[in-house]
Amino acid sequence: MDPRISGFDYRRVTVADGVSLNAAVGGSGSPIVLLHGFPQTHLMWRHVAADLAADHTVICPDLRGYGASDKPADTDGTAYAKRTMAADVVALARELGHDRFALAGHDRGALVAVRAGLDHPGAVTHLASLDVLPTLDMWDVMHGTSAAVGFHLYLMAQPPGLPERLIGASPDAFFGHFLDVWAGDPEAIPADVRAAYLRASREAVVSIVADYRASAGIDVEHDRADRGAGNRLRMPVTVLQQDWGAALGFDAAARWRAWAPDLVHLPVSYGHFMAEEAPAEVVKALRALLDR
């Protein structure tokens, strides 16, 4: 059996027709939902969730397409749109009794969180993003040889067929690569958790690729529409981010400020998997956000 978040209950919650999410739920108090990144599952929040559960209801789902959550086929290009995945999160919280909640996301989960904040401002009270840019900005800053760091974005943007075959031929090598090169402290992901991440990812190649493919298509369309309409995040926002701007030549805080007027932008020195590498610092930032 895969590791679990100690002291949390596990539930399957129906969030859409034919789609249920696996979610770990613990604690009591005002709710906060924590969304994982790639190539991970809800387990990445195990340290942060345990701390926050002292005085909050903490909900840690596997996103659709990941972990033990359902992985619907993407028949029309919308099944893994961040708009669809954000609606899952709002439905999950509502089914658990929460019409309003704070929301934090890492990596892919942060893109879902941003879309939830834009589409459901009445539901999301506070928003935190760990180590990404909004989708439209991500593509804007990727150029020249420096874009090689994001090779996986371009691979999984290709039409259905080739990416799935290539990744499926050696999934542990592919997904393990990111666990290795993105970690500032490899010891932060112990062997049993790493094995759980790799097992979950190898069983979800098609849906993970669909998630990324959406970010090169329909998600960009949605972001462009919001930018054109002047739609921005109305709630307090905190961003924790490695200094990718220095490497790729952009001002990350300015990029975020265009979307989030009430912004705290915190450059960090630890690795990409910050909720596992520096959980105390992440908790400190989240608690400060919740006090705003």
Side-chain angles (χ1 to χ4, degrees), residues 12 49 53 61 65 78 97 113 121 125 129 144 149 154 158 161 174 188 193 206 213 222 256 258 260:
R12 289 197 68 80
T78 67
T125 63
S129 167
V149 70
Y154 296 91
Q158 303 310 308
F174 180 77
V193 174
V206 172
R213 185 177 290 120
H222 292 158
W256 270 106

Side-chain angles (χ1 to χ4, degrees), residues 141-223:
V141 303
M142 302 289 281
H143 52 80
T145 56
S146 64
V149 70
F151 78 94
H152 60 300
L153 302 173
Y154 296 91
L155 171 62
M156 290 190 275
Q158 303 310 308
L162 183 63
E164 293 87 345
R165 287 198 298 273
L166 292 177
I167 296 168
S170 190
D172 284 8
F174 180 77
F175 296 114
H177 166 80
F178 301 102
L179 293 173
D180 293 337
V181 302
W182 288 349
D185 176 14
E187 298 299 318
I189 304 178
D192 60 337
V193 174
R194 179 188 174 91
Y197 290 161
L198 291 178
R199 181 163 49 253
S201 296
R202 85 172 71 99
E203 293 172 356
V205 170
V206 172
S207 53
I208 290 174
V209 173
D211 168 32
Y212 272 85
R213 185 177 290 120
S215 286
I218 194 168
D219 294 343
V220 173
E221 296 173 16
H222 292 158
D223 276 12

Side-chain angles (χ1 to χ4, degrees), residues 13-195:
V13 180
T14 299
V15 296
D17 288 344
V19 179
S20 294
L21 301 187
N22 173 60
V25 183
S28 61
S30 61
I32 181 168
V33 180
L34 306 177
L35 304 179
H36 67 85
F38 162 93
Q40 299 163 289
T41 69
H42 74 282
L43 277 174
M44 63 153 283
W45 291 109
R46 60 196 178 277
H47 306 305
V48 172
D51 189 306
L52 291 176
D55 48 5
H56 294 278
T57 298
V58 183
I59 304 166
C60 303
D62 290 331
L63 296 167
R64 74 157 60 194
Y66 289 81
S69 290
D70 287 343
K71 303 167 181 65
D74 189 18
T75 57
D76 62 0
T78 67
Y80 294 91
K82 302 308 154 293
R83 173 159 289 162
T84 304
M85 297 171 80
D88 287 348
V89 174
V90 174
L92 170 68
R94 185 179 299 118
E95 287 296 315
L96 294 174
H98 307 291
D99 291 330
R100 287 171 55 78
F101 54 92
L103 183 58
H106 174 254
D107 191 83
R108 308 304 295 171
L111 301 181
V112 176
V114 168
R115 178 44 57 193
L118 291 168
D119 285 359
H120 306 277
V124 180
T125 63
H126 303 75
L127 193 149
S129 167
L130 277 60
D131 217 31
V132 293
L133 286 175
T135 301
L136 188 57
D137 298 270
M138 175 188 71
W139 290 113
D140 284 347
V141 303
M142 302 289 281
H143 52 80
T145 56
S146 64
V149 70
F151 78 94
H152 60 300
L153 302 173
Y154 296 91
L155 171 62
M156 290 190 275
Q158 303 310 308
L162 183 63
E164 293 87 345
R165 287 198 298 273
L166 292 177
I167 296 168
S170 190
D172 284 8
F174 180 77
F175 296 114
H177 166 80
F178 301 102
L179 293 173
D180 293 337
V181 302
W182 288 349
D185 176 14
E187 298 299 318
I189 304 178
D192 60 337
V193 174
R194 179 188 174 91

